[in-house]
């Protein structure tokens, strides 16, 4: 964080404090979502910042828009900012304006430098993005909040609720006179009343609005079964019900056209006193910050001078003596062999000091010069995360290239998962921990490390388990260490394993973070079901894993797919949610697949609702676009620590997998 932003934030904080302390009706904050992708950040003084400020000022100045909705755009081509707000249909213009003002102030404080951000209050919602967001349905991110009080008669209640939400949905979506907002008040028992509300952004089509609300309704049993209230929020629509009037019942269905008299009574004397006390607080605070910043910058400049030297030192410390490493593996003896993968054989080694290591001896034709190899190795060694196998060093000697990794004691996940006896060690808690750990490691590769790394070959045999069964992803960054094989005239190749590859990669060689998300989804489903993704090839139905998983999900029979070795010792709720997330990751359209940060959010927080997944690519069999892996590819490749088959296939694609930040 630069000093500029610290100072700005401090100022904003003070302003917010001022606002909270002295303003009259503050809107009720509900939640926010910031897309924290480092790649999706703008720099403080960029034109994106300027456009964002412009959009926010358009939104606030148009806060009295007649239907409580406004969309605004600023900037051309690259740095366009799209923003919109929506006030709850029953609030007055004053409340709406108050809410939009608060929201536009808070959103940049809570999501600093994010190109994409959302914020929800009870009274309004505001969002902006660098993508066109108008007139398109957007159900992600979604949130659901139950009212924790139990309803006395849940059976009767859900019957009533089903009818109510269906009526609401029909009216909101298909009655154009309502401006995409409607409420209902129903008697439940003699003493209890059900209040419900639904709203879509008015820019949606009737069908999109209906679809969005169906998605929210589908989350009712997941979030709020037996509870007296539920609140479902996503960027395109909201649905809420409760046993108390949480909206203005008299306002009913229309946005009031009469402006209530403004009662902003700002006695000028009082105002001046406030300003003075603010000056008294702010000036010393800013002085201190500036002083601290100066010291900080000076120290950083001192640090920078030695960075080049550090780099050289790092290469030296990582480079290991070939003979030492060779000796540690008993001269690469077969006894020490841990596995074999597409990039070479992996041996177990033990250094003189007793440290255990795993040595990957790269197949000789990696085609890369020594300098590039060193650079790549240094880069990979810098990637340090508890869910990544750590690269300790490398060797270069003659034509030999070795990579030295930490030794991970329990071997690879597939050895447990697909073994009829060892799978019993994988309790539900462990499986869940592995899913979350792999997600975190992948997120680190995608977003948190200095370079964006796309794994391209995530699979069960590339997830290693330590003694506590914590997962560590291995083999990441391997595509970087190999350059195209020029001798065969192939300038391009696909690195990956059938069954884990999304169609856009397998067929066209297009890869992105979303191809890793697909592989993650397949892996997740394998972990829950205990089945290999190619298990169903052999069955008489000749139905593929994803297609089978999808069909059972549509039929509501997911629990039958859960690994039977878990017996009933698992959380049904967690398992269903995980399964659902897995299906979201393997959707055919890569734009529909969530990012890893969203996956983590969905795994961590039950208040995040899940979108309805669309079919995975393998579902529609018999069509031209379906990939049917050839039998030969799925046969006889018993995976070892890294022995499952890696396909190197010539395809028209580029090997630029790293996007420098
Ligand atoms: C994004 O960053 C903000 C502040 O930097 C933090 O409060 C929020 O939890 C982060 N969100 C995610 C999804 O990581
Ligand atoms: C940001 O922009 C302002 C006005 O254009 C300029 O005065 C200031 O020096 C800039 N700050 C940085 C850090 O570039
Ligand atoms: C509303 O926003 C537009 C840009 O979308 C802006 O030109 C206009 O000045 C705003 N309206 C008011 C009343 O400020
Ligand atoms: C608002 O959105 C519509 C599309 O729904 C678009 O045509 C219009 O230009 C947008 N208005 C502004 C000010 O961006
Ligand atoms: C848009 O960005 C790309 C790369 O970020 C740049 O090459 C191009 O010139 C930019 N276009 C405009 C119109 O600014
Ligand atoms: C739950 O309902 C009670 C009234 O029955 C209300 O006071 C409370 O605020 C509600 N809680 C939430 C989280 O909406
Ligand atoms: C709901 O209850 C109130 C008071 O108990 C009653 O006046 C009203 O008619 C009832 N409404 C319906 C639709 O039954
Ligand atoms: C504004 O405040 C003054 C004194 O503080 C008071 O006399 C006056 O009635 C107030 N006006 C309104 C509209 O509340």
């Amino acid at each position: 964080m630069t000093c500029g932003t610290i100072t700005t934030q401090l100022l904003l904080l003070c302003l917010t404090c001022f606002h909270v302390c002295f303003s009259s009706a503050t809107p009720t904050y509900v939640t926010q979502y910031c897309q924290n992708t480092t790649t999706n950040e703008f720099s403080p003084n960029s034109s994106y910042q300027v456009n964002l400020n412009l959009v926010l000022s358009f939104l606030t100045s148009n806060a009295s828009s007649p239907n409580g909705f406004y969309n605004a755009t600023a900037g051309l081509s690259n740095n366009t900012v799209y923003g919109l707000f929506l006030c709850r249909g029953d609030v007055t213009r004053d409340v709406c304006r108050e809410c939009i003002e608060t929201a536009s102030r808070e959103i940049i404080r809570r999501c600093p430098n994010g190109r994409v951000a959302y914020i929800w209050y009870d009274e309004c919602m505001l969002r902006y993005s660098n993508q066109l967001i108008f007139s398109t349905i957007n159900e992600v991110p979604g949130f659901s909040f139950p009212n924790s009080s139990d309803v006395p008669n849940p059976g009767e209640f859900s019957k009533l609720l089903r009818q109510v939400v269906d009526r609401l949905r029909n009216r909101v979506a298909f009655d154009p006179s309502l401006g995409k907002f409607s409420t209902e008040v129903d008697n439940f028992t003699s003493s209890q009343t059900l209040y419900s509300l639904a709203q879509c952004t008015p820019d949606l089509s009737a069908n999109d609005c209906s679809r969005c609300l169906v998605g929210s309704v589908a989350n009712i049993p997941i979030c709020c079964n037996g509870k007296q209230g539920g609140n479902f929020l996503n960027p395109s629509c909201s649905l809420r019900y409760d046993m108390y009037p949480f909206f203005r019942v008299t306002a009913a269905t229309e946005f009031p056209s009469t402006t209530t008299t403004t009662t902003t009574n700002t006695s000028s004397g009082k105002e001046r006193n406030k300003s003075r006390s603010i000056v008294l607080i702010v000036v010393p605070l800013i002085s201190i910050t500036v002083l601290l910043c100066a010291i900080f910058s000076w120290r950083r400049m001192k640090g920078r001078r030695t960075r080049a030297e550090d780099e050289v030192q790092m290469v030296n410390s990582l480079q290991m003596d070939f003979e030492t490493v060779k000796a540690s593996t008993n001269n690469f003896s077969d006894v020490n062999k841990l596995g074999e993968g597409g990039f070479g054989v992996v041996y177990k080694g033990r250094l003189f000091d007793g440290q255990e290591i795993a040595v990957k001896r790269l197949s000789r034709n990696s085609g890369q010069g020594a300098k590039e190899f060193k650079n790549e190795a240094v880069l990979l060694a810098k990637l340090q995360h508890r869910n990544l196998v750590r690269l300790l060093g490398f060797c270069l000697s003659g034509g030999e290239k070795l990579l030295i990794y930490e030794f991970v004691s329990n071997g690879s996940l597939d050895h447990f998962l697909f073994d009829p006896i060892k799978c019993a060690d994988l309790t539900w808690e462990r499986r869940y921990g592995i899913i979350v750990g792999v997600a975190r490691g992948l997120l680190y590769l995608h977003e948190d490390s200095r370079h964006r790394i796309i794994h391209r070959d995530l699979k069960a045999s590339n997830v290693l388990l330590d003694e506590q069964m914590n997962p560590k992803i291995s083999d990441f960054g391997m595509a970087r260490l190999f350059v195209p094989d020029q001798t065969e005239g192939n300038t391009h190749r696909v690195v990956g394993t059938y069954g884990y590859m999304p169609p856009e990669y397998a067929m066209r060689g297009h890869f992105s973070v979303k191809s890793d998300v697909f592989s993650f989804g397949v892996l997740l489903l394998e972990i829950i079901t205990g089945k290999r993704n190619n298990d169903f090839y052999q069955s008489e139905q000749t139905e593929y894993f994803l297609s089978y998983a999808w069909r059972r999900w549509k039929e509501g029979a997911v629990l039958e797919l859960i690994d039977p070795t878990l017996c009933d010792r698992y959380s049904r709720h967690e398992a269903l949610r995980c399964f659902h997330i897995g299906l979201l990751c393997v959707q055919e359209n890569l734009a529909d697949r969530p990012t890893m940060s969203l996956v983590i959010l969905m795994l961590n927080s039950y208040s995040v609702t899940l979108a309805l997944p669309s079919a995975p690519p393998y579902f529609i069999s018999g069509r031209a676009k379906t990939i049917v892996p050839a039998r030969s590819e799925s046969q006889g490749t018993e995976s070892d620590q890294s022995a499952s088959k890696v396909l190197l296939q010539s395809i028209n694609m580029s090997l630029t997998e790293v996007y420098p930040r």
Side-chain angles (χ1 to χ4, degrees), residues 341-343 456-457 459 492-501 505-506 627 629-630 632-634 637 643-651 653:
F343 300 105
R456 299 216 256 159
D457 197 18
K459 54 186 172 184
H492 305 293
R493 65 170 124 193
V494 163
V495 178
T497 308
Y498 267 138
Y500 289 95
M501 274 193 278
Y505 182 39
I627 305 174
S632 58
E633 253 104 37
S634 59
T637 51
S644 73
K645 189 154 185 173
V646 171
L647 293 166
L648 299 173
Q649 168 189 339
S650 76
I651 252 184
M653 59 168 286

Side-chain angles (χ1 to χ4, degrees), residues 30-206:
V30 182
T31 190
Q32 80 199 46
Y33 181 70
C34 317
Q35 231 174 48
N36 283 6
T37 55
T38 327
T39 41
N40 223 12
E41 259 185 14
F42 59 81
S43 39
N45 239 2
S46 61
S47 42
Y48 197 86
Q49 169 91 75
V50 173
N51 291 336
L52 176 57
N53 292 345
L54 208 54
V55 160
L56 290 177
S57 76
F58 287 159
L59 293 181
T60 41
S61 63
N62 281 284
S64 327
S65 139
N67 57 355
F69 171 83
Y70 195 75
N71 60 332
T73 316
L76 298 166
S77 66
N78 280 355
N79 292 303
T80 313
V81 180
Y82 304 89
L84 63 80
F85 73 76
L86 176 65
C87 282
R88 204 177 65 206
D90 63 296
V91 303
T92 63
R93 288 188 183 176
D94 281 337
V95 172
C96 181
R97 185 166 50 234
E98 181 81 38
C99 189
I100 298 310
E101 280 168 10
T102 309
S104 33
R105 215 171 29 237
E106 281 289 290
I107 195 167
I108 46 177
R109 186 180 71 80
R110 290 172 183 264
C111 300
N113 302 341
R115 284 182 201 267
V116 181
Y118 310 78
I119 193 163
W120 282 268
Y121 290 82
D122 269 346
E123 294 82 3
C124 71
M125 177 271 293
L126 187 146
R127 58 184 288 215
Y128 54 76
S129 172
N130 58 343
Q131 309 280 324
L132 187 64
I133 52 174
F134 310 144
S135 309
T136 54
I137 180 171
N138 198 332
E139 298 169 273
V140 177
F143 299 85
S144 48
F145 304 95
N147 187 326
S148 53
S149 310
D150 289 330
V151 74
N153 194 345
E156 284 297 305
F157 183 71
S158 54
K159 218 161 86 190
L160 170 65
L161 190 59
R162 261 202 304 275
Q163 295 165 356
V164 169
V165 295
D166 211 46
R167 282 197 297 265
L168 272 177
R169 179 179 58 80
N170 266 315
R171 280 206 302 274
V172 172
F174 300 107
D175 184 344
S177 69
L178 296 178
K180 296 278 195 304
F181 170 75
S182 184
T183 58
E184 219 179 286
V185 180
D186 300 85
N187 293 344
F188 175 46
T189 63
S190 55
S191 61
Q192 286 177 306
T193 310
L194 175 66
Y195 298 87
S196 348
L197 173 156
Q199 187 170 21
C200 289
T201 56
D203 58 337
L204 283 195
S205 70

